[in-house]
Amino acid sequence: MKFEQQLALKTIPSWAIYYLNYKKLKAVLYTDFERASNESDTNEESKVNSHAHGDDVTTGYTAFRALFLAEVDKVNKRYVEQESESSEKLKALKTQWKSDMSSETIEAWKADFIKLLRKLENLSDFTQSNITACRKILKKADKVAGQPMTLRLWPLVTNLRFAKSESDEALLHDARAVWRKRAAVSIVPATTSLLEESKMRRLTPAVPTVSELDLASFPAGEISRVWVALAEDGMGLPIRVPVIIAKGSVEGPVVGITAALHGNELNGIPLIHRLFDEVLPAKLHGTLVAVPVANSPGFLLSQRGYTDGTDLNRVMPGKPNGSSPQVYAYNLMHRIIRHFDYLLDMHTASRGRVNSLYVRANLLDSRTARMARLQNPQIIVHNTSPDGSLRGAAMQRGIPAITVEIGDPSRFQKRFVRNALIGVTNILSQLRMIPDEANASEFEPVVCTRSFWIFAKSGGILTVHPDVNTWVRSGDLIATIHSVFGDLEEEYFAPQDGIIVGKHVDPVCQSGNRILHLGVVENELPAVVDDGHM
């Protein structure tokens, strides 16, 4: 993996010129190395003498050293400037707030405050990216030069404000606290415990069935449950999906979460259950809507597709007068999904395959790019969403949507569920729906500019060698197929460098089966990219 490509993909576009120029530093480092390699024995002797006298061991890499110091100074100046401006703006906004302000003035104040929050979030991302870039380039310099460059230069970095100060995080924490306070509303009595609330929910009357989700009809500050009818079976009975609604006491965005659109992909279900066990609707700003089982017929049959085997994630947004799965998909979109402002669609690998914890999102859309990074994945795959997918249909309606792949099918994986749940709460925090601050990721996600599947040319007994979330180089052996008699029939090699996003684990392989999902890192994000996987 080329770190400069990862850095470029994580760069805030409007701040790009202020980031450490990792690519240029690497080029100068190698130029200095070539120059040092061509030095005469006399210079080598001088180098030994300088070591003996305690001289700076970075001698011979003066161009790299000068550029590195100039780059970190550039980063530091940007940090100091933005920190100072943000601090002054926060003070001003605190002073401007008056309890008797008109509604128009309050809205203007909120708009300014949201801009400040985004700026502080950008500053935090900017700081962490550049600290990582400094460490990476110095580590590379140690290796290339064969000298302790980090030992000499890292202390110079840590003396700069952007590396040693925590003011950006303190300002962000303070700003979020101010925002929550100014948007605060009456809260239910603190004596109501989570256990008591859970018991009260179980004592409520039978869950009603409705023909469409009407968010205005649900009480604020409470969690509600309904069945939404999407179609009818052969007995004329409703085919329903369960919907859970947490409606906050303060207006805000509507975030929707869907799970089990593929009926045997289950990890999203415990994620939703845990989320609604923890959410406090009285303190929620906005509405959280979850569909724990979006494909109830497939769920009951323990299969991926609808009753007839049709993949619902291939027929979105459906048709009002189409086939049974098309009608079901249409009603899912029009009775539930269209009410969302944001969508998180939870999936897992298909049967016979395993996945990393990864997100598919359009990284050219700043909204979904931010959601993807907050989601806490191991890998992020740039994908502009294929036709027929729920994510694509939502995006066409103007609803920012991402697909979250949480491990493997037909099972619950606690670690992946936990990390995906942290990601969901990060998004809710970013949208200022909950008071919690965003949690740091367990993973440093790899950002792939595209991905693709490698398919089997012949049938037999399949063995896929690399594990998920590991890197392979072009030409590495990635899979073999043997005949049922044990003869080697086919070998498959990585067509280019990449990371294993997912792979096939069922040894029974037919020609045309998927073998391995490879994510690749390149310099630019394509305008249109689709791996064919939904």
Side-chain angles (χ1 to χ4, degrees), residues 6 19 79 86-87 175 220-221 253 280 283-284 340 347 350 357 375 386 401-402 412 447 481-482 511 526:
Q6 292 291 302
Y19 279 73
Y79 173 86
S86 299
S87 178
L280 298 175
K283 295 184 180 181
L284 182 66
F340 299 165
H347 286 260
S350 300
L357 175 59
Q375 185 51 55
I402 63 173
F412 291 159
V447 180
I481 291 181
H482 289 77
S511 56

Side-chain angles (χ1 to χ4, degrees), residues 374-439:
L374 288 167
Q375 185 51 55
N376 206 29
Q378 294 171 309
I379 300 170
I380 299 172
V381 174
H382 172 53
N383 183 290
T384 50
S385 70
D387 293 338
S389 70
L390 177 58
R391 176 166 64 96
M395 293 289 285
Q396 288 174 1
R397 295 185 68 96
I399 303 169
I402 63 173
T403 300
V404 184
E405 295 277 354
I406 316 174
D408 309 336
S410 303
R411 59 184 295 207
F412 291 159
Q413 292 169 287
K414 291 183 179 180
R415 177 169 172 256
F416 277 1
V417 169
R418 182 185 68 248
N419 280 285
L421 177 62
I422 291 172
V424 172
T425 57
N426 283 349
I427 291 173
L428 298 179
S429 177
Q430 167 75 15
L431 294 171
R432 290 168 288 281
M433 293 179 66
I434 59 175
D436 300 328
E437 295 187 11
N439 292 282

